[in-house]
Amino acid sequence: MKGYVFHGPGQSAWEEVPDPGIKEPTDAIVRVDAVSVCGTDLHILGGDVPDVPPGTVLGHEAVGEIVEAGGDVRTVQPGDRVLVSCITACGRCRHCRAGRYGQCRGGGGWILGHLIDGTQAEYVRVPYADLSVHPLPGTISDEDAVLLADVFPTAYEVGVQLGCVCPGDTVVVVGAGPIGLAAIITARLFAPERVVAVDASAARLGFARELGADAVAEAGEDPGQLVADLTDGAGADVVIEAVGRPETFELCTRMVGAGGHVANVGVHGGPATLHLEDLWSRNITLTTGLVDTRSTPTLLRMAVAGRLPGGRLITHTFPLGRMQEAYDVFGNAAETGALKVVLGGERREVVPAYAA
């Protein structure tokens, strides 16, 4: 088969690789019908994730069809259309039993496209299939479903839930890429008073307004002053960092109000300064996290019900074989306007959902 292979920082190629096979009775082999490129993949190519071995097929988000299942797999079978989660869960270790699948110590966690071959290929082996793939109803398209592999669970769990968004809050989202936009969408489920989006791109801020931001600020226009004006100087209740740069992290800590939460979602490839000399006395809560995907079943039900406008985040689609072009478009988002790029084969017909 073919897959998109990481050969070291700045080196990758769409090339022939061995077909995956069942290694453990809990494995499943999935034919990939739709796959997306994530900002984390760019971090890997940039050398920010040094534990990815050269020769690894990248990717951790996909929708596809089960073509083979190990003897211990009980929840899916060949022919089932499934969502492949970005997180693999053994279901038995102490972290999995507590719902912290991202921290799995039984051979799971974030392994696809990281420690083992991932989803940016024609086929992928998924360990612990019973907890790591989700059967999909025919009422959701591949394109909408693939955003539930990582984007929406990450924004919701690491941003909105760990940030403790509550009714009446002022929520600031720094970074209006796919994760930031998904954070805006899911934050609004908790009825905040206002959501403010911050980004360097006017086009992305336009998307943020369309998807529910009440106010926007370009990064160079002193967003901290806008937040102060909107809150009578109190600062934001929740600030979600969705970029992964030292300057955006420090901006978040400047905009949060006393007693507030800073939820860091961005992938950081280097150190950022934590100004405890300013924060120690202000009762600030800072959270970080790797997504657990425990919310995926709930988000899937919401997507099927039309409560998550996921497809609006997709700006470019490609056939699977044009992986390098998709990376070029996604990696040059400032010029191309890309948000989320999705690759796949022919589109499946979506079965309409009728009210009973």
Side-chain angles (χ1 to χ4, degrees), residues 13-344:
W14 177 253
E15 61 189 43
E16 288 192 4
V17 294
D19 292 341
I22 298 291
K23 294 184 178 180
E24 301 291 341
T26 51
D27 291 348
I29 306 300
V30 177
R31 186 195 69 219
V32 175
D33 293 330
V35 65
S36 54
V37 180
C38 178
T40 305
D41 298 321
L42 298 183
H43 280 284
I44 292 171
L45 289 173
D48 294 338
V49 190
D51 50 349
V52 179
T56 301
V57 174
L58 295 180
H60 50 268
E61 310 168 330
V63 168
E65 182 177 308
I66 301 286
V67 296
E68 187 177 358
D72 289 348
V73 176
R74 297 288 181 265
T75 61
V76 291
Q77 60 186 355
D80 286 350
R81 178 171 170 253
V82 296
L83 170 69
V84 179
S85 175
C86 68
I87 297 296
T88 302
C90 77
R92 298 176 179 176
C93 71
R94 56 180 292 211
H95 290 304
C96 284
R97 287 178 180 271
R100 296 189 295 266
Y101 303 140
Q103 305 302 321
C104 174
R105 296 180 63 86
W110 173 38
I111 57 174
L112 290 173
H114 177 203
L115 304 178
I116 67 172
D117 287 339
T119 57
Q120 289 170 4
E122 295 174 313
Y123 295 87
V124 59
R125 179 180 71 91
V126 183
Y128 300 117
D130 279 336
L131 281 174
S132 306
V133 301
H134 301 270
L136 290 172
T139 53
I140 186 169
S141 69
D142 289 353
E143 289 82 2
D144 284 343
V146 77
L147 298 183
L148 300 174
D150 183 0
V151 173
F152 273 100
T154 296
Y156 179 59
E157 294 176 15
V158 186
V160 175
Q161 288 190 319
L162 288 183
C164 298
V165 175
C166 294
D169 279 353
T170 292
V171 179
V172 180
V173 179
V174 178
I179 294 290
L181 294 173
I184 291 169
I185 293 168
T186 52
R188 295 208 63 85
L189 299 172
F190 292 85
E193 179 181 359
R194 62 177 67 88
V195 177
V196 181
V198 179
D199 199 276
S201 165
R204 289 193 169 192
L205 292 177
F207 276 111
R209 277 201 179 276
E210 290 178 19
L211 294 171
D214 301 289
V216 300
E218 290 200 27
E221 295 181 348
D222 194 4
Q225 185 60 53
L226 172 63
V227 172
D229 291 344
L230 290 172
T231 61
D232 294 325
D237 300 291
V238 182
V239 186
I240 298 173
E241 202 284 344
V243 180
R245 295 179 180 171
E247 58 268 28
T248 53
F249 174 78
E250 293 179 37
L251 173 63
C252 290
T253 62
R254 292 196 299 270
M255 291 190 292
V256 68
H261 291 74
V262 176
N264 183 90
V265 186
V267 178
H268 289 265
T273 301
L274 179 63
H275 288 282
L276 285 176
E277 73 277 13
D278 298 325
L279 299 174
W280 72 271
S281 63
R282 296 176 55 207
N283 294 30
I284 304 300
T285 300
L286 169 65
T287 56
T288 67
L290 177 66
V291 65
D292 295 311
T293 66
R294 63 181 180 275
S295 67
T296 301
T298 298
L299 294 172
L300 179 56
R301 292 196 300 272
M302 295 180 68
V304 170
R307 297 293 303 278
L308 298 179
R312 294 171 68 182
L313 302 183
I314 298 171
T315 54
H316 296 76
T317 58
F318 299 89
L320 193 60
R322 290 167 61 186
M323 187 68 69
Q324 186 59 60
E325 182 179 351
Y327 263 87
D328 292 342
V329 167
F330 186 65
N332 292 284
E335 290 76 32
T336 63
L339 284 174
K340 201 66 176 170
V341 302
V342 174
L343 302 97

